Amino acid sequence: RLRDHDVVYSAHIASYGSIPATLAASVGTVVTVSLTWLTPPQLHRMHETEAVGVNYDYGVAETLSIDLGNGRPVVPIGCYLGRRGALALNGAPVALTEVQALGRFFVESRQPEMLARVHSDFSEGGDFDTWLTGLIADQTSRKALTATLAKRSIPIDLPVFQRIAAISRP
């Protein structure tokens, strides 16, 4: 469990048609997160799949208010941080309903609802499925929508994470 953070929608559209997530500061919130222990080659591959330098930066935190369970010590923990900030359709970040949290104060939404809202607010009408299929198929359209979403985003400042360059392949 990670304290004083929440998982919110990032201000970009993924190549597979979802609105990905990023962390945001959220004093008093305790969010359930998953950790993946990766070897250097695995981390390099993860950087590629997460589009480090395009959609995300990679940051490392030496100290976090996190409970790893069973008294395990917190070691430096890496995280992907959205480069464009949090998607803010009503002037505030929106948390992912699917991610469990205690003391959450951000409005939350499920992925299908967020996609429907983005379709309603930013498409030129038409059928939702056709719109989404078009975004998946057309990188130019996806990038244009991402640029529009970024204009309505809220910058995220997480000083506990030091943003670093992608780790080179060993």
Side-chain angles (χ1 to χ4, degrees):
R1 298 198 191 332
L2 175 61
R3 296 187 182 286
D4 299 325
H5 293 82
D6 204 346
V7 178
V8 301
Y9 288 97
S10 183
H12 74 276
I13 302 292
S15 61
Y16 49 87
S18 76
I19 304 171
T22 191
L23 281 181
S26 181
V27 176
T29 301
V30 180
V31 67
T32 300
V33 295
S34 296
L35 300 178
T36 305
W37 306 107
L38 303 172
T39 65
Q42 291 169 330
L43 182 60
H44 177 81
R45 179 64 182 133
M46 186 69 90
H47 287 344
E48 291 173 347
T49 66
E50 295 305 310
V52 169
V54 178
N55 290 324
Y56 290 101
D57 290 325
Y58 183 72
V60 174
E62 296 289 331
T63 59
L64 285 173
S65 183
I66 190 167
D67 176 7
L68 298 178
N70 299 323
R72 289 181 285 178
V74 175
V75 295
I77 293 178
C79 178
Y80 293 99
L81 307 167
R83 297 187 110 200
R84 295 174 190 88
L87 180 58
L89 298 181
N90 292 322
V94 178
L96 281 72
T97 302
E98 296 85 350
V99 176
Q100 295 178 0
L102 301 171
R104 175 176 278 159
F105 68 86
F106 292 133
V107 170
E108 59 184 50
S109 182
R110 294 188 166 287
Q111 181 73 220
E113 296 161 352
M114 283 299 288
L115 283 168
R117 174 74 187 275
V118 169
H119 172 254
S120 172
D121 288 359
F122 299 103
S123 76
E124 297 176 8
D127 175 67
F128 174 82
D129 290 335
T130 302
W131 170 80
L132 187 58
T133 301
L135 285 177
I136 293 168
D138 183 7
Q139 181 181 18
T140 302
S141 296
R142 195 170 54 250
K143 283 183 175 183
L145 178 56
T146 292
T148 300
L149 296 178
K151 291 176 186 173
R152 295 181 84 187
S153 71
I154 294 175
I156 294 177
D157 182 28
L158 296 174
V160 70
F161 285 95
Q162 177 185 355
R163 291 176 190 255
I164 61 173
I167 296 172
S168 61
R169 184 178 292 278

